[in-house]
C-alpha cells in the first residue's frame, strides 16, 4: 500500500509543480505572482495593489513606479538602472487605469506637467502649478543605427522584420506603424496613434519596452536579449533615439528661450568687438611701420653725401 501511496503522491507533486512554476508574468519581470486557486494565478506590481494583465504590456507609469521600489521589496529581481534625466529621479503618480496623472511632483515639492508618455512638457513650478489636461503623445519617432553587416539589407526586408517584431513582441497593431525608412545604417520608425482603444497597447508603452530591450534591461520575464533577424541575418542595433510629439505644442515659457537668445547675442557681440579691436590694432601697427619707413627715407634724402 505504501509504494502505491508514494506513486500517487509523486504524480500529484509532478502535476502541481509545473502549475506553480508557471505562475509568472511573461510581460513583466517585476510583477509578484501567487497561485490563489487551481489554475488561477494572480500577479500584482511590486509595492502596489494594482493587478497586472500579463497578456499585454504594462503601462509605462506603473513600470516607472515599480522601478523605484527597493530591492528587498522586489524579492529576487535586481533593481534596474535609476531613471536619470534633466528632471531628476521621481516616482510618478498614476491613475488606476495606469496612465500618468497630468501633474507630476518630486519629493522637493517641485511639480511639472507631462504628456501621456510621462515626458515633461512645461516649466517646473511648485505645488500650486495646475495642469488642466493630460495631453496625448500622438507621434513617436524612433531612430536607431545598426552595425555594418557583410550582407546588405533591403529596405522592404528591414521594414517587414521590424513590423513583425513590434506586432509579435510588443502586441502593437501594424496600423499604428505609420512608416519605416531605411538609409543604412540609419533606421527611422514613426508610430502614429491619435486615439488608443482600450484593447490596444499604447505606443508610449511600446517605446519604453523597446528602449529597455535595446539597453539589455528587458522588462519581459524571460529577460532574454532582443534579437532582430532580417532574412536570417542578425540586425544588431547600436544606438537609439526616441522623440515624442504631442497633439498640442509644449508650454515652455519664453524666459528660457530669451536667455538662450541673449547668450547668443552676447557671444556674437563680444566676437565682433574683439575682431574690430584686432583690425584696429593691426591697422595702427601697419600705419606706424609705414610712417617710420617714410621718415627714414626723408632723412636719407636731406643728409648730404660726403663724396
Amino acid at each position: 500500500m505504501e509504494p502505491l501511496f508514494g506513486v500517487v503522491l509523486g504524480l500529484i507533486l509532478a502535476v502541481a509543480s509545473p502549475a506553480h512554476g508557471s505562475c509568472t508574468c511573461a510581460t513583466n519581470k517585476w510583477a509578484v505572482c501567487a497561485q490563489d486557486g487551481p489554475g488561477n494565478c494572480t500577479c500584482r506590481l511590486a509595492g502596489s495593489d494594482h493587478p497586472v494583465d500579463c497578456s499585454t504590456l504594462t503601462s509605462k507609469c506603473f513600470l516607472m513606479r515599480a522601478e523605484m521600489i527597493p530591492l528587498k521589496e522586489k524579492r529576487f529581481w535586481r533593481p534596474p538602472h535609476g531613471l536619470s534625466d534633466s528632471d531628476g529621479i521621481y516616482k510618478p503618480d498614476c491613475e488606476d487605469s495606469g496612465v500618468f496623472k497630468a501633474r507630476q511632483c518630486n519629493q522637493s515639492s517641485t511639480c511639472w506637467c507631462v504628456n501621456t508618455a510621462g515626458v515633461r512638457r512645461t516649466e517646473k513650478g511648485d505645488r500650486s502649478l495646475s495642469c488642466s489636461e493630460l495631453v496625448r503623445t500622438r507621434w513617436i519617432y524612433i531612430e536607431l543605427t545598426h552595425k555594418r553587416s557583410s550582407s546588405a539589407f533591403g529596405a522592404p526586408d528591414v521594414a517587414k522584420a521590424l513590423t513583425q517584431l513590434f506586432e509579435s513582441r510588443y502586441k502593437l497593431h501594424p496600423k499604428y506603424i505609420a512608416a519605416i525608412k531605411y538609409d543604412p545604417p540609419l533606421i527611422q520608425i514613426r508610430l502614429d496613434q491619435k486615439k488608443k482603444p482600450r484593447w490596444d497597447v499604447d505606443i508610449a508603452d511600446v517605446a519604453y519596452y523597446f528602449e529597455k530591450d535595446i539597453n539589455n534591461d528587458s522588462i519581459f520575464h524571460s529577460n532574454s536579449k532582443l534579437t532582430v533577424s532580417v532574412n536570417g541575418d542578425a540586425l544588431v542595433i547600436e544606438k537609439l533615439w526616441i522623440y515624442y510629439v504631442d497633439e498640442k505644442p509644449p508650454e515652455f515659457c519664453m524666459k528660457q528661450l530669451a536667455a538662450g537668445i541673449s547668450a547668443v547675442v552676447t557671444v556674437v557681440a563680444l566676437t565682433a568687438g574683439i575682431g574690430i579691436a584686432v583690425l584696429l590694432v593691426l591697422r595702427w601697427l601697419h600705419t606706424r611701420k609705414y610712417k617710420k619707413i617714410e621718415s627714414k627715407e626723408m632723412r636719407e634724402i636731406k643728409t648730404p653725401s660726403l663724396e
Side-chain angles (χ1 to χ4, degrees):
M1 186 70 180
E2 291 182 358
L4 179 60
F5 176 76
V7 171
V8 173
L9 179 61
L11 290 174
I12 293 174
L13 292 175
V15 172
S17 295
H20 183 269
S22 63
C23 190
T24 57
C25 187
T27 58
N28 192 334
K29 67 182 181 182
W30 298 319
V32 179
C33 303
Q35 197 87 29
D36 54 3
N40 189 17
C41 178
T42 300
C43 298
R44 298 182 183 276
L45 283 177
S48 171
D49 292 331
H50 291 288
V52 178
D53 182 0
C54 297
S55 65
T56 186
L57 304 186
T58 306
S59 74
K60 180 180 177 180
C61 192
F62 282 163
L63 291 174
M64 288 177 63
R65 287 188 63 86
E67 285 178 325
M68 299 301 297
I69 303 300
L71 176 62
K72 62 181 180 180
E73 297 184 36
K74 286 187 177 180
R75 298 187 179 181
F76 53 86
W77 297 119
R78 66 173 179 85
H81 299 298
L83 302 176
S84 178
D85 55 26
S86 59
D87 298 323
I89 300 175
Y90 73 100
K91 182 185 292 186
D93 292 325
C94 312
E95 302 287 357
D96 291 337
S97 60
V99 301
F100 287 90
K101 289 188 176 180
R103 193 187 73 165
Q104 298 292 328
C105 301
N106 59 19
Q107 295 179 351
S108 63
S109 299
T110 300
C111 302
W112 58 91
C113 302
V114 300
N115 55 23
T116 53
V119 179
R120 183 166 66 93
R121 51 176 280 109
T122 66
E123 296 289 350
K124 294 181 179 179
D126 55 25
R127 290 194 176 273
S128 64
L129 176 69
S130 175
C131 304
S132 59
E133 61 177 328
L134 180 68
V135 178
R136 176 155 188 80
T137 296
R138 176 176 178 178
W139 295 283
I140 293 182
Y141 291 86
I142 301 175
E143 293 185 357
L144 52 92
T145 58
H146 67 84
K147 289 184 178 179
R148 296 288 184 176
S149 176
S150 57
S151 58
F153 296 121
D157 296 329
V158 171
K160 180 180 178 181
L162 290 174
T163 300
Q164 291 176 347
L165 171 71
F166 278 87
E167 184 177 8
S168 61
R169 187 173 179 87
Y170 307 112
K171 318 299 182 185
L172 182 66
H173 196 286
K175 67 182 179 182
Y176 298 124
I177 304 176
I180 297 179
K181 184 178 179 181
Y182 180 46
D183 184 16
L186 177 66
I187 302 175
Q188 295 174 300
I189 305 171
R190 192 184 78 180
L191 306 181
D192 186 349
Q193 190 180 51
K194 184 177 181 180
K195 293 183 179 179
K196 190 196 83 65
R198 183 177 56 83
W199 53 85
D200 284 338
V201 297
D202 196 298
I203 56 175
D205 301 337
V206 172
Y208 196 63
Y209 269 79
F210 184 60
E211 181 180 10
K212 288 290 188 179
D213 277 338
I214 298 301
N215 293 332
N216 294 325
D217 189 19
S218 177
I219 299 173
F220 292 100
H221 186 269
S222 62
N223 204 26
S224 58
K225 185 176 181 180
L226 176 66
T227 56
V228 183
S229 178
V230 180
N231 292 333
D233 294 322
L235 182 71
V236 182
I237 299 173
E238 288 187 307
K239 296 180 181 180
L240 173 72
W241 301 269
I242 300 179
Y243 305 94
Y244 304 89
V245 182
D246 298 342
E247 289 182 336
K248 297 181 179 180
E251 300 173 6
F252 294 104
C253 68
M254 296 300 293
K255 292 182 180 179
Q256 186 174 0
L257 179 61
I261 295 176
S262 177
V264 172
V265 170
T266 302
V267 171
V268 172
L270 287 174
T271 303
I274 293 172
I276 293 173
V278 170
L279 288 176
L280 290 176
V281 171
L282 291 176
R283 181 183 179 88
W284 176 77
L285 291 174
H286 178 75
T287 305
R288 183 181 178 187
K289 183 178 179 181
Y290 176 77
K291 288 182 177 180
K292 284 184 177 180
I293 295 174
E294 184 181 34
S295 177
K296 183 179 179 182
E297 290 178 348
M298 291 298 293
R299 287 199 301 270
E300 289 178 352
I301 294 173
K302 293 180 179 180
T303 302
S305 177
L306 296 175
E307 299 180 356

